[in-house]
Amino acid sequence: MTIRLLVVDDDPLVRAGLTFMLGGADDLEIVGEASDGSHVGELTDRLRPDVVLMDIRMPTVDGLTATEALRSRPDAPEVLVLTTFHADDQVVRALRAGAAGFVLKDTPPAEIVAAVRRVAAGEPVLSPAITRQLMQQVAGGPGPVGDRASRARAKIGQLGEREREVAVAVGRGQSNAEISAALFLSVPTVKTHVSRVLAKLGLNNRVQIALLVHDAGLLDEEGDVG
């Protein structure tokens, strides 16, 4: 199955490099390019990409605003953020808005191709170590405080006991197979629980589950080392 890809970056040299690099993969098709986030909605309607590779900093409409608008649509494409610094408050905001992960602009070509494939398959592109670093540096420090923590706990309170356990495991960065082994559940059952968590909490991907679990303080409570 061919993955349709829209490349969004205000630097024409970056766009040309990404298009050349990604276009060489047999299962990727570059269906369009955009120089600013203001063009993303129209191009998405017309070209129907599966994945949008989105720069954060653009002059008119930045990648954060474009991601928020895009991911609020029904049947939205996945968004993979392009960034220079992994510990960036805008990156975390993009993840909260529904981006499935991010890649650094100096990431080796083969790894960017692999990241696009993972995002297209519905998998987050964030290692557990980077997830913890992002959360601790930019999502409110080592421990969540204030209104965000209260709101997160209220949302988590909507979950059943098993759903909560699965959500916490997702927050630790565990894969479905790892959650299956840890909780003595089949992988299909884990997938079902993840889907229910997403539906109950009004989230669109595992990254948002992880951020919510962090905000609620559940990782520290349940013994996560981070």
Side-chain angles (χ1 to χ4, degrees), residues 1-142:
M1 182 176 177
T2 301
I3 300 167
R4 297 169 60 81
L5 185 66
L6 174 63
V7 177
V8 185
D9 196 293
D10 65 333
D11 187 333
L13 292 178
V14 172
R15 291 200 309 274
L18 288 169
T19 298
F20 176 78
M21 173 183 65
L22 297 169
D26 293 340
D27 57 340
L28 301 185
E29 178 187 0
I30 310 297
V31 295
E33 300 177 22
S35 60
D36 190 78
S38 58
H39 307 304
V40 171
E42 182 270 328
L43 288 173
T44 297
D45 288 340
R46 180 158 54 87
L47 302 174
R48 301 296 179 184
D50 300 304
V51 177
V52 176
L53 193 56
M54 183 88 75
D55 188 20
I56 285 285
R57 291 174 174 81
M58 292 179 286
T60 306
V61 175
D62 62 29
L64 171 62
T65 303
T67 297
E68 289 174 335
L70 195 59
R71 292 298 295 169
S72 66
R73 296 176 168 211
D75 300 320
E78 298 292 346
V79 175
L80 183 61
V81 170
L82 274 173
T83 183
T84 306
F85 303 104
H86 57 71
D88 185 305
D89 61 337
Q90 287 196 319
V91 172
V92 173
R93 288 174 63 195
L95 297 175
R96 289 188 185 280
F102 71 92
V103 290
L104 299 179
K105 288 191 175 182
D106 60 359
T107 299
E111 293 183 21
I112 294 182
V113 171
V116 170
R117 289 171 177 155
R118 286 183 60 188
V119 166
E123 300 175 16
V125 180
L126 282 174
S127 71
I130 290 296
T131 301
R132 285 194 295 269
Q133 186 175 1
L134 276 166
M135 289 175 181
Q136 290 174 358
Q137 290 188 12
V138 235

Side-chain angles (χ1 to χ4, degrees), residues 204-215:
N204 32 96
N205 60 37
R206 296 168 75 99
V207 176
Q208 288 183 320
I209 294 176
L211 288 166
L212 189 71
V213 165
H214 173 270
D215 286 349

